[in-house]
Amino acid sequence: MKHFINLDDVSSVETLVNLGLNLKANPLQYQSLGKDLTIGLVFFNSSLRTRISTQKAALNLGMNVIVMNVGSDSWQLEFEDGVVMDQGKAEHIREAAAVLGQYCDVLGVRAFAGLTDRDEDYREVVLESFRRFAGVPVINLESATRHPCQSLADLITIEELKTKEKPKVVLTWVPHFKPLPQAVANSFTEWVLRTDYDLVITNPEGYDLAPEIRKNARVVHNQDEAFAGADFIYAKNWSSYESYGKVLTQDPSWAITPEKMALTDSGYFMHCLPVRRGLKVSDAVIDGTHSAVIQQAGNRVWSAQAALTRILESR
Ligand code: AN0
Ligand code: CP
C-alpha cells in the first residue's frame, strides 16, 4: 500500500481488518519493521484518539514519532496555486509538504472540512497536496471528506462483537448545534459497503450523504423503522451535504436513548468519539453493557498499525 488516504488505496478490506485483529493479539510482532524510520503527524485540527493511537501504533513498529500542530507551531499555509502571497499565509504547501518529506519517512495529516465550499472540500485539497508534494507515503488522519483510520477501527470492532454472519448495521444521524463534517459518516458508509453486512442509513430529510458515497445503500428517514432488529447502532452527527455545511434541524428526538435501543436486537451502541453526553446519547446508553465506544477507541491503535504496517512493507 503506497498511501492510506481513502478506500481506493485498499485492495482488500477483509485482509486489513484481519491484520488489525492479528496485531491486537500480538502487538509487537513487527517491532523492527519501522526501526530507524520516522513518522511525522501533522495536525491542522484538535485530536485525542488519532493523535495518541497513531503514535502508539508507530512505537509498536519501532518508529520514531514527531508531532506538529499547524498554525500554532508552524507557519500558516497557502494551498492555492498562482497567488501573490501578500496576506497572512507565510508558506506554500508545495514547499511545506516537500520539506516535511525530507525529515519524515511517512506523514500523517489531519485537516477537517471547511464546510463552506463543497467543491473545495470534496476535492480534498489538503490531503491531495500532501500526496502530490511530500514525496513520502501519506496517512489520512481525517480529511475534509474521509476518516479511514476510524472506519477500519469500526470494522475491527464489529468483527469482534458480531454474533451473526450478516449483522444489521445502522448509521444514524444524531443532533448537534454546530456544523460537523461528513467525513466519519462518509467513510463508515463506504467501508461497510465493502463488507457483506446489511447497512441502513437513517437521517432527517436534507441530510442524505453525497450520492457517490451512499451509492445504493438503503436510506430511511424514519429512525424507529431503521432501528428495528439492528445489531449495531453507529451514531454520528453531520451537517447537510445538500445545503452544504448547514444545520437544518437539532431535533432532540433523534438522540440515542434506552427506548430507541430497545427497538434493536440487543444492539451495540457505537460512536467515534468525542461525543456530547445528553445531547446525542443518554448516559444510560453510553454507560450501558452494550456500549462499544471504549473498545472502538482502543481499536484505533490496531487500525493505524495495520495501515502503517502495509505502508512500511511496500516502501
Ligand atoms: C469531528 C468530526 O465530526 O469530524 C471529529 C470526529 C472524529 N468531531 C467534532 O468536531 C466534534
Ligand atoms: N475519533 C477520533 O478521530 O477522535 P479524535 O478527534 O480525538 O482523534
Side-chain angles (χ1 to χ4, degrees):
M1 193 160 70
K2 176 87 175 82
H3 301 280
F4 188 61
I5 293 180
N6 61 42
L7 207 37
D8 295 339
D9 298 305
V10 178
S11 52
S12 166
V13 165
E14 192 184 351
T15 309
L16 207 53
V17 169
N18 286 334
L19 176 59
L21 290 165
N22 186 278
L23 290 166
K24 184 170 184 172
N26 189 358
L28 301 180
Q29 60 187 297
Y30 301 116
Q31 209 173 5
S32 51
L33 190 61
K35 191 174 172 310
D36 299 329
L37 297 177
T38 299
I39 186 169
L41 304 179
V42 179
F43 285 90
F44 289 79
N45 309 95
S46 308
S47 166
L48 185 153
R49 278 143 292 274
T50 306
R51 179 181 291 263
I52 305 300
S53 64
T54 312
Q55 292 192 48
K56 174 75 181 185
L59 293 173
N60 284 346
L61 292 167
M63 300 186 84
N64 302 307
V65 187
I66 299 172
V67 183
M68 185 176 79
N69 301 312
V70 178
S72 57
D73 294 357
S74 76
W75 305 106
Q76 293 285 349
L77 300 179
E78 176 62 64
F79 288 88
E80 240 181 276
D81 278 330
V83 288
V84 177
M85 289 169 58
D86 60 357
Q87 300 294 313
K89 295 170 179 170
E91 180 156 31
H92 201 279
I93 187 63
R94 284 177 177 260
E95 288 79 50
V99 168
L100 289 169
Q102 299 285 307
Y103 306 147
C104 302
D105 303 286
V106 180
L107 284 172
V109 180
R110 163 164 285 199
F112 287 177
L115 293 177
T116 50
D117 182 335
R118 185 165 90 179
D119 287 341
E120 188 178 305
D121 285 346
Y122 276 75
R123 270 191 290 121
E124 289 287 6
V125 175
V126 179
L127 261 285
E128 289 307 323
S129 298
F130 274 93
R131 190 205 290 269
R132 279 178 71 197
F133 304 124
V136 296
V138 175
I139 297 183
N140 182 344
L141 303 178
E142 186 173 341
S143 65
T145 69
R146 304 291 197 284
H147 195 358
C149 290
Q150 182 64 50
S151 306
L152 178 53
D154 299 337
L155 294 200
I156 291 170
T157 311
I158 293 174
E159 279 304 299
E160 290 180 315
L161 293 173
K162 75 178 189 187
T163 54
K164 298 170 189 162
E165 195 58 46
K166 199 173 155 40
K168 179 175 177 183
V169 176
V170 177
L171 168 64
T172 181
W173 180 93
V174 286
H176 194 45
F177 52 88
K178 265 183 15 187
L180 292 187
Q182 291 129 26
V184 171
N186 282 348
S187 274
F188 186 73
T189 299
E190 288 183 320
W191 282 68
V192 172
L193 285 174
R194 288 271 290 260
T195 70
D196 55 7
Y197 308 156
D198 176 18
L199 174 68
V200 178
I201 306 173
T202 184
N203 53 257
E205 303 270 1
Y207 280 95
D208 288 358
L209 295 171
E212 70 268 24
I213 301 279
R214 61 188 149 87
K215 295 200 171 83
N216 56 354
R218 219 179 116 212
V219 179
V220 296
H221 296 131
N222 180 326
Q223 195 189 40
D224 287 0
E225 185 190 321
F227 275 36
D231 299 294
F232 294 91
I233 297 298
Y234 194 102
K236 181 74 185 83
N237 171 269
W238 61 88
S239 58
S240 175
Y241 174 79
E242 293 162 35
S243 308
Y244 193 65
K246 296 278 183 301
V247 174
L248 306 175
T249 175
Q250 300 178 40
D251 184 353
S253 74
W254 281 78
I256 312 302
T257 60
E259 294 71 34
K260 294 274 180 183
M261 292 305 289
L263 300 169
T264 71
D265 186 7
S266 303
Y268 281 95
F269 172 77
M270 297 181 74
H271 191 283
C272 62
L273 305 181
V275 71
R276 288 173 185 256
R277 286 170 173 252
L279 184 70
K280 295 175 176 174
V281 57
S282 307
D283 288 353
V285 173
I286 193 167
D287 293 332
T289 56
H290 274 216
S291 171
V293 296
I294 303 301
Q295 183 171 337
Q296 208 183 332
N299 285 336
R300 290 293 305 275
V301 175
W302 320 116
S303 92
Q305 199 171 328
L308 204 39
T309 299
R310 282 284 178 263
I311 284 173
L312 292 177
E313 280 169 351
S314 51
R315 270 181 86 245

